Amino acid sequence: ELRTVRGLAEEICRETGLPMPEIGVMIETPAAFVMADVLARYSDFFSIGTNDLTQYMMAADRGNSSVAYLCKAYDPAVLRALRGVITTGVRAGIPVGMCGEAAADPLLIHLLIGFGLEAFSVAPAAVLRTRCEISRWTMAEARKIADHALTLETAEEVEGYLTEIRKC
């Protein structure tokens, strides 16, 4: 589908003389995460939708109270997926942004920076808090935190560690 859309956009731009729009992909499913290297070849950017990606990675409906507790962005499986998508985008030379609750989570911001994330899309009410968190960490600190967090085995361990080292 992505190749088809890119081909159609190129054809329309050739015919009309309009500039080529940027074409990107929302990474919201395990399939998109696994195929990120291929998707990057045809994308001008990635945007990670953390709410859906978390839900689908954990195979648990966040709207179902019986299993919603499993939908935690702190889970090592989710963190590894986020790091993988961000790393793939960086290697491909395309910008990677993130939206969803995790993008504004003060406990995750420095970890996401350590993964290489450069663009956070947050609700207006979270902008100042997010900027504050970003300003408090060096890249070296963020990378060290991210590396350690990925050695942990459970969402609870990750959340506990991030709570313990948080500066704000």
Side-chain angles (χ1 to χ4, degrees):
E1 291 173 335
L2 180 58
R3 290 188 304 193
T4 300
V5 167
R6 181 166 288 285
L8 290 170
E10 288 170 353
E11 182 180 330
I12 290 167
C13 290
R14 271 192 311 276
E15 291 174 2
T16 63
L18 292 170
M20 182 70 177
E22 289 193 346
I23 297 174
V25 175
M26 283 293 296
I27 305 291
E28 297 181 300
T29 65
F33 153 63
V34 170
M35 295 299 292
D37 59 328
V38 174
L39 296 170
R41 292 183 208 151
Y42 305 98
S43 299
D44 297 313
F45 64 90
F46 283 161
S47 181
I48 304 170
T50 59
N51 296 343
D52 284 340
L53 183 60
T54 300
Q55 172 176 274
Y56 297 134
M57 285 295 299
M58 301 310 296
D61 180 0
R62 65 182 182 259
N64 180 336
S65 61
S66 298
V67 294
Y69 72 95
L70 295 170
C71 293
K72 295 180 181 177
Y74 304 114
D75 192 279
V78 175
L79 295 179
R80 289 175 187 207
L82 295 174
R83 181 190 60 179
V85 170
I86 294 165
T87 300
T88 298
V90 168
R91 284 186 186 147
I94 62 173
V96 181
M98 179 179 288
C99 59
E101 293 174 25
D105 185 332
L107 293 181
L108 287 175
I109 291 170
H110 47 288
L111 181 126
L112 296 169
I113 292 168
F115 289 166
L117 187 70
E118 294 181 349
F120 295 76
S121 177
V122 300
V127 170
L128 292 178
R129 184 181 67 230
T130 302
R131 290 178 75 181
C132 172
E133 281 296 327
I134 290 169
S135 72
R136 295 192 184 279
W137 302 92
T138 67
M139 283 302 294
E141 290 171 323
R143 284 187 188 112
K144 184 177 176 184
I145 290 164
D147 289 345
H148 181 73
L150 289 175
T151 68
L152 303 174
E153 297 179 359
T154 68
E156 293 73 25
E157 289 174 2
V158 171
E159 186 174 10
Y161 168 66
L162 296 176
T163 299
E164 180 183 313
I165 56 93
R166 185 166 175 243
K167 289 184 175 182
C168 280

